Amino acid sequence: MIVRHSPFRLLSLALHRGRRSVSAKVAIVTALALGALLSVGSPSGVAQVAPAAEPGTILIRNVRIFDGRKAALSGISNVLVRGNLIERISTGALAGTTGTQVIDGGGRTLMPGLIDAHWHAMFVRPTPVQLLTNDVGYTTIQAGVEATATLMRGFTTVRDMGGPAFSLKRSIDEGLVDGPRIYPSGAMITITSGHGDFRQLSELPRRPGQLSHIEELGGAAIADSPDEVRMRAREQLMHGASQVKLTAGGGVASPFSPLDVSTFTEGELQAAVDAAGNWGTYVAVHAYTPAAIQRAVKVGVKCIEHAHLMDEASAKMMADNGVWLSTQPFVDMAIGATMGPNEQAKLKEVVDGTDRMYRLARKYRIKTAFGTDILFSSLLATRQGNSIVDMTKWYTAGEALVMATSTNGELLRLSGPRNPYPGLLGVVEQGAYADLLVVDGNPLDDIRLVADPEKNFVMIMKDGKIYKNRLN
């Protein structure tokens, strides 16, 4: 006889039998987090999410399309979605089958769902202290609520650049939690005292085989030799990482990580590049300074995150080698609201370098992706769309929107066979994933529309499912 138990019964059995293996801990945390997510209501202040319709046939008619590739709107058009894909786009009439849901856009703008190329799904809501002291189950529940909020801001895909987001991704993909597609990196790989090493001095010296709390959570992995880097990279790939993330230089948020320090040696970086390349994907590195950028490019890293302190030589080197720049428009100190004085001083240096960085990226025509890197504040997360508006200091509205859609979609395809969503993202095209927004207005004329998604995004669709619809 086959006996089937609920997740909570399995949890009870695991506790009763005293299992304390890693797999048992994961099962316990997953059961707790899932049970809580399924039982709690929407918190006050968070937009109510409409029940997601089952994939079928949906006809969106009478819309003007921003296709994600060119900064222009089409004439009045109609779009037929079947399942999770765009089946047809036409300026002529389209007819669905019996049962087709028809949505009249009323001449509004239809555009691709937004993509954030540098996000930390697990690190948005908790403060640094909470992240290191909260139970991982509670942190996972926070991340699930934030994932829903992220989707309701019109971001249908995020590239997660560090954090234990694998279970959250799975829950979203299985329909247990509403949220964006996630391209996970898993634990950010760092060195002793590098960006991502959140240990206190009282925890030193490290004993062989000892893991810090942030490592136990899966937020970071400390590696101090090529062999350790290779192992940690392979562990993330085993979990399902779509790309591998290393911190190749100092960072702002880490208390013992000077901004000017280059961390990994060439041999250590090369070990990660080789491990990722063997899996058909790539390494992205956190790097601000010219030295950190150039060392990473030299060994075959394909994407530099941040680079706010780059110089002419490092910009030219990136351009000559076809290396991507995934960066963020840090225009003020708001992101440092929860940081200490030392971290805020480092942040000011980064903010001061933003203008030059973007000007060099334009000058050398570096392939540039858009992200936000919002950390430790649910309030800041509500301003996710404002970062696209901030881009207009260096780009036209159309260029900024293309970057946040089709250009970011191109970056995601670097994952090759490790791509968890191998269809087209960031475009409105036949055969692309049906990740779509209907905007009440023309964001090419007034990009500020994307900064108020609750008011201006009147329909939000991801994977052919409607999560918000104020049109009918």
Side-chain angles (χ1 to χ4, degrees), residues 86-218:
I86 298 171
E87 183 173 279
R88 289 189 63 193
I89 302 172
S90 176
T91 55
L94 290 177
T97 57
T98 302
T100 295
Q101 181 179 356
V102 179
I103 297 174
D104 192 328
R108 295 176 178 86
T109 301
L110 179 76
M111 64 175 286
L114 298 168
I115 301 172
D116 192 326
H118 194 115
W119 190 246
H120 295 276
M122 299 294 291
F123 301 159
V124 174
R125 294 215 167 192
T127 66
V129 172
Q130 290 169 342
L131 178 65
L132 295 173
T133 57
N134 282 349
D135 176 79
V136 67
Y138 180 75
T139 301
T140 302
I141 293 167
Q142 279 187 309
V145 175
E146 177 55 43
T148 301
T150 302
L151 177 62
M152 298 307 288
R153 291 193 292 268
F155 285 86
T156 54
T157 301
V158 297
R159 177 169 164 263
D160 193 281
M161 297 312 293
F166 297 115
S167 293
L168 177 63
K169 175 189 181 300
R170 179 180 176 184
S171 298
I172 292 170
D173 290 345
E174 292 180 357
L176 303 177
V177 177
D178 294 336
R181 303 176 190 272
I182 296 178
Y183 279 73
S185 301
M188 64 182 87
I189 303 173
T190 186
I191 66 163
T192 295
S193 196
H195 180 55
D197 182 356
F198 286 100
R199 291 175 297 171
Q200 300 301 305
L201 294 177
S202 59
E203 298 179 78
L204 303 180
R206 184 179 190 173
R207 297 177 179 85
Q210 183 182 42
L211 295 179
S212 63
H213 187 53
I214 191 70
E215 290 178 283
E216 291 177 337
L217 295 174

